[in-house]
């Protein structure tokens, strides 16, 4: 199994009492809650954490894109990737760029190609549709999300692989002179990963024989992770091949403490802030109409059912398998078990979450790198199905 | 009232039809009607009332070609032709009013008059509530002055999806529409609920100012759905307007 240190770069200084006045940390939370002086310190702290993870021997660093919220402060992940590029050695995984949100997908082709060139081919390119709330924040029509994702993807891959200039004529995009400079460093193009919450259309598309893209299940109850990774494997079989562990990944928050009890005590307020304050969204934000097809909507509703409703405690999150927390031995054993039952090739550890402070993040990260990664790193994945 | 199925432009649509007299084609807003409503019964005393579920809404099929209000305007031109409707009173609420305007600008030959009810299509003069950010319950309450008058029915994911598809961005308007409404030569009535919180009543004035000779009827004690909330007053207003046009 390979390990990526993933970061969301939340606004950890968020005044958590915002919920007295506002219903969500997304879309409508006034940006007066953001203090740029604190933000400056946070960005540099987070970059330090990621550089530390690189020195600790993680296979890569993971970042992503979010807009207009306190949950994730990377509206342009290429800027963060650029800041990491010169002082790191491992992979840089941009997981991912939200293709349907932009009106010109070639800016994404250029941005990712630029990172790939600076890093000499250390880029992993993630493509996503964006969170439902971002269709409100950027006012992109969610009912065209799948169409735009597909067309933008095709355009970017063609821009990466075909000698320009050529004319792209599509339903949503028209560019008479597609001629991307710089071309990507990796040939034919950087590896493409597809993070998702479990949209069936996305899984079928990613697993198709002509793509075989690595599918990454994002923060979800463990039962949903299993369901969607199995769905990917089944789709691969239907497409005439067997999916390898390298095609399957999972992202979850992790905290490694001195002991199980100490870990729980230390992580409790921060993971509960993550789940109940930073991720707080109304159903209308999460699922604007058309964001999911009518058939897919039901599946995700079921998967996320345990995440909505009232506040979640650390015990709920650990019991649901959404949060991995404990001593190094406990975390290692749980991950080994998940690797066996899920057939995972990649684990993305979210080692900072919510309000978790710097020192605690660094200690947990160090324990993870020292005591959890080595015994799991070279173990071959043997999937035990169901 | 009869329930009919018609296939137009390759799409099977469900149509409620009742009454007799000149044809009145009523185009619904974001939600298709599931039942024959009291305002339809009132209108059916004077008109042949024809209420289709738009393609992609309610009981109708979802065609692959449906991307925009313009597509629906073209569809209803074909619908009027397929059903051989002549001298049509074209009424539309919300999205349906927008469709009606787009249709009338494209081809008004078969239209006797136009009735726009709390219609989408023009940019809002003042902010209203964003229906896409309201819970189904909050949206229901926001749509009526008195929610007890709401016909009992649950919102449908199918209707919401297609409403977003044709109306998300720009949010329920076409920046081109306002430029050409002055070309309308069809007698028009603009009906608005005095208490509309989705499209505030200043929109009625914007429509009335844009369409030459348009008359305005503000329905008291009604919100975004005056035809459902005050069916008798609504129908009486439409009938009086139609009588005026005929005379």
């Amino acid at each position: 199994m390979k390990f990526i240190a993933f970061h969301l770069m939340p606004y950890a200084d968020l005044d958590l009492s915002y919920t007295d006045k506002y219903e969500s940390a997304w879309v409508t939370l006034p940006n007066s809650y953001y203090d740029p002086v604190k933000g400056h310190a946070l960005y540099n702290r987070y970059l330090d954490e990621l550089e530390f993870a690189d020195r600790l021997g993680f296979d890569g660093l993971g970042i992503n894109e979010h807009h207009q919220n306190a949950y994730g402060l990377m509206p342009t992940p290429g800027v963060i990737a650029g800041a990491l590029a010169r002082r790191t050695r491992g992979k840089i995984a941009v997981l991912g760029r939200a293709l349907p949100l932009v009106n010109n997908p070639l800016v994404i082709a250029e941005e990712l190609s630029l990172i790939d060139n600076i890093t000499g081919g250390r880029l992993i390119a993630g493509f996503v549709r964006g969170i439902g709330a971002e269709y409100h924040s950027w006012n992109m029509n969610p009912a065209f999300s799948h169409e735009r994702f597909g067309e933008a993807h095709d355009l970017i891959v063609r821009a990466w692989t075909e000698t320009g200039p050529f004319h792209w004529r599509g339903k949503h995009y028209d560019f008479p002179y597609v001629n991307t400079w710089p071309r990507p460093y990796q040939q034919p193009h950087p590896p493409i990963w597809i993070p998702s919450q479990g949209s069936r259309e996305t899984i079928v598309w990613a697993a198709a024989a002509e793509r075989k893209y690595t599918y990454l299940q994002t923060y979800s109850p463990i039962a949903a992770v299993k369901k969607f990774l199995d769905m990917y494997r089944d789709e691969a079989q239907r497409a005439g091949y067997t999916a390898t562990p390298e095609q399957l990944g999972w992202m979850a928050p992790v905290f490694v403490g001195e002991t199980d009890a100490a870990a729980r005590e230390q992580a409790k307020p921060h993971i509960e802030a993550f789940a109940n304050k930073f991720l707080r969204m109304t159903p209308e934000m999460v699922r604007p109409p058309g964001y999911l097809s009518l058939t897919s909507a039901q599946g995700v509703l079921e998967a996320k059912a345990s995440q909505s409703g009232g506040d979640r405690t650390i015990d709920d999150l650990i019991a649901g398998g959404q949060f991995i927390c404990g001593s190094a031995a406990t975390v290692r054993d749980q991950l080994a078990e998940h690797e066996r039952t899920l057939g995972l090739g990649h684990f993305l550890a979210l080692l900072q979450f919510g309000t978790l402070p710097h020192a605690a993040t660094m200690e947990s990260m160090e324990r993870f790198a020292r005591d959890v990664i080595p015994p799991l790193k070279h173990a071959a994945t043997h999937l035990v199905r169901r | 009232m009869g329930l009919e199925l018609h296939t137009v432009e390759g799409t099977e649509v469900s149509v409620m039809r009742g009454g007799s007299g000149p044809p009145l084609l009523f185009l619904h807003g974001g939600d298709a009607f599931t039942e024959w409503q009291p305002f339809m019964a009132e209108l059916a005393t004077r008109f042949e009332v024809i209420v289709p579920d738009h393609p992609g809404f309610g009981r109708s099929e979802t065609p692959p070609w449906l991307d925009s209000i313009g597509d629906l305007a073209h569809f209803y031109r074909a619908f009027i032709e397929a059903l051989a409707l002549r001298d049509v009173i074209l009424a539309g609420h919300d999205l349906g009013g927008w469709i009606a305007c787009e249709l009338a600008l494209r081809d008004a030959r078969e239209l006797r008059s136009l009735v726009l009810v709390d219609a989408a299509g023009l940019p809002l003069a003042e902010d209203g509530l964003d229906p896409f950010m309201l819970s189904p319950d909050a949206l229901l309450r926001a749509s009526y002055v008195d929610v007890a008058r709401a016909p009992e029915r649950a919102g449908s994911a199918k209707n919401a999806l297609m409403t977003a598809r044709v109306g998300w961005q720009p949010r329920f308007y076409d920046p081109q529409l306002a430029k050409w409404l002055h070309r309308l030569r069809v007698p028009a009535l603009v009906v608005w609920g005095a208490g509309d919180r989705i499209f505030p009543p200043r929109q009625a004035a914007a429509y009335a100012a844009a369409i030459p000779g348009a008359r305005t009827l503000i329905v008291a004690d009604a919100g975004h759905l005056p035809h459902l909330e005050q069916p008798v007053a609504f129908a009486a207003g439409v009938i009086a307007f139609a009588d005026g046009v005929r005379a």
Side-chain angles (χ1 to χ4, degrees), chain A residues 27-28 135-136 139-144 147 171 284-285 288-290 294, chain B residues 67 130 132-136 157-158 160-161 164-169 171:
Chain A
V27 189
T28 52
Y135 286 76
H136 291 283
N139 200 27
M140 193 52 68
N141 193 328
F144 289 108
E147 284 183 18
K171 178 176 175 184
E284 288 66 41
M285 292 180 188
L294 290 177
Chain B
D67 291 325
D130 179 0
F132 293 128
M133 282 287 259
L134 298 178
S135 69
K158 181 181 180 183
L161 188 156
R165 193 167 177 93
V166 301
W168 186 277
Q169 194 219 31
R171 188 61 52 89

Side-chain angles (χ1 to χ4, degrees), chain B residues 11-244:
Chain B
T11 306
E12 190 180 81
V13 290
S14 172
V15 180
M16 291 190 290
R17 200 165 179 167
S20 59
L24 188 152
L25 176 59
F26 191 95
L27 305 181
H28 65 78
D31 273 313
F33 297 102
T34 53
E35 289 171 356
W36 192 246
Q37 298 293 330
F39 86 90
M40 299 172 191
E42 292 285 334
L43 291 172
T45 61
R46 291 287 300 277
F47 307 111
E48 182 188 18
V49 179
I50 302 159
V51 188
D53 294 2
H54 304 324
F57 291 75
R59 292 159 287 203
S60 293
E61 280 184 345
T62 301
W65 47 258
L66 178 48
D67 291 325
S68 68
I69 290 293
D71 289 328
L72 289 171
H74 283 295
F75 170 84
Y76 279 112
R77 287 180 62 198
F79 180 90
I80 287 169
E81 192 177 295
L83 272 67
L85 304 179
R86 299 277 179 275
D87 214 18
V88 178
I89 301 167
L90 180 62
H93 167 249
D94 188 295
L95 292 179
W98 184 5
I99 298 165
C101 287
E102 297 280 0
L103 188 158
L105 284 171
R106 282 164 170 79
D107 181 1
R109 282 172 297 178
E110 305 300 347
L111 303 188
R112 174 195 288 198
S113 60
L114 201 56
V115 179
L116 306 177
V117 187
D118 300 70
L122 296 179
L124 289 186
E126 62 182 290
D127 284 348
L129 296 168
D130 179 0
F132 293 128
M133 282 287 259
L134 298 178
S135 69
D137 187 51
L139 179 58
L140 189 71
R141 279 185 278 109
S143 300
Y144 292 84
V145 167
D146 179 0
V147 74
R149 297 174 189 144
E152 296 222 7
R153 67 194 160 79
S156 125
K158 181 181 180 183
N159 291 341
L161 188 156
M162 207 47 75
T163 299
R165 193 167 177 93
V166 301
W168 186 277
Q169 194 219 31
R171 188 61 52 89
F172 296 129
Y173 73 94
D174 177 353
Q176 310 301 321
L177 180 64
K179 292 195 295 192
W180 297 107
L181 283 176
H182 72 276
R183 294 288 308 160
L184 283 178
R185 294 292 177 267
V186 184
L189 174 68
V190 177
V191 183
W192 227 270
D196 189 345
R197 285 179 280 163
I198 310 289
F199 300 152
R202 276 177 63 183
Q203 291 308 105
Y207 259 113
I211 301 173
R215 280 173 247 176
T216 304
L217 170 65
I218 302 295
V219 180
D221 197 20
H224 184 59
L225 301 142
H227 48 302
L228 297 182
E229 205 160 5
Q230 299 294 346
V232 175
F234 171 81
V238 172
I239 289 167
F241 165 72
D243 286 346

Side-chain angles (χ1 to χ4, degrees), chain A residues 22-272:
Chain A
Y22 298 98
E23 58 187 359
S24 173
W26 298 63
V27 189
T28 52
L29 181 66
N31 59 4
S32 53
Y33 275 82
Y34 177 84
D35 176 345
V37 175
K38 290 176 178 172
H40 165 74
L42 280 176
Y43 278 118
N44 286 283
R45 172 198 149 181
Y46 292 155
L47 287 166
D48 288 345
E49 289 169 5
L50 286 170
E51 288 176 6
F52 183 56
D54 183 70
R55 290 199 299 279
L56 287 171
F58 280 82
D59 297 292
L61 308 176
I63 56 176
N64 76 350
E65 169 184 339
H66 284 299
H67 299 278
Q68 299 191 177
N69 61 56
Y71 173 83
L73 292 178
M74 292 181 280
T76 310
V79 172
I80 302 297
L84 291 169
R86 293 287 299 269
R87 289 164 68 173
T88 57
R89 292 168 303 179
K91 299 284 185 191
I92 295 178
V94 178
L95 301 169
R97 287 300 321 257
L99 306 189
L101 294 183
V102 297
N103 284 318
N104 180 356
L106 295 175
V107 300
I108 293 174
E110 291 175 347
E111 177 185 305
L112 294 177
S113 192
L114 185 54
I115 300 163
D116 201 38
N117 276 262
I118 293 172
T119 59
R122 288 189 282 127
L123 173 75
I124 294 167
F127 293 154
V128 296
R129 295 197 294 122
I131 300 284
E134 285 155 345
Y135 286 76
H136 291 283
S137 291
W138 274 33
N139 200 27
M140 193 52 68
N141 193 328
F144 289 108
S145 174
H146 279 293
E147 284 183 18
R148 288 171 67 94
F149 179 85
E151 188 179 332
H153 161 273
D154 294 350
L155 169 56
I156 291 169
V157 170
R158 200 173 150 201
W160 277 347
T161 54
E162 191 172 311
T163 300
F166 62 84
H167 193 150
W168 179 269
R169 294 177 187 87
K171 178 176 175 184
H172 296 280
Y173 313 107
D174 170 43
F175 295 102
Y177 303 100
V178 180
N179 193 18
T180 295
W181 290 66
R183 293 195 292 124
Y185 184 91
Q186 298 176 83
Q187 294 296 317
H189 59 73
I192 293 172
W193 288 17
I194 307 297
S196 171
Q197 298 170 294
S199 152
R200 181 176 182 85
E201 286 79 2
T202 301
I203 291 170
V204 170
W205 179 89
E210 66 270 30
R211 283 181 282 269
K212 296 184 181 170
Y213 292 157
T214 293
Y215 175 77
L216 189 66
Q217 182 68 30
T218 55
Y219 179 70
S220 309
I222 195 71
V225 179
K226 172 119 183 83
K227 174 184 160 185
F228 292 122
L229 296 187
D230 283 346
M231 188 187 285
Y232 185 103
R233 274 185 284 264
D234 292 342
E235 284 306 320
Q237 289 300 339
R238 207 161 292 147
Y241 74 97
T242 300
T244 65
E246 284 66 42
Q247 283 171 264
L248 297 165
W250 172 38
M251 188 281 280
V254 179
F255 187 81
V256 188
E258 196 62 52
T259 63
D260 287 353
R264 278 192 187 229
E265 191 187 332
Q266 239 183 318
K268 181 178 169 62
H270 310 297
I271 194 67
E272 290 178 359

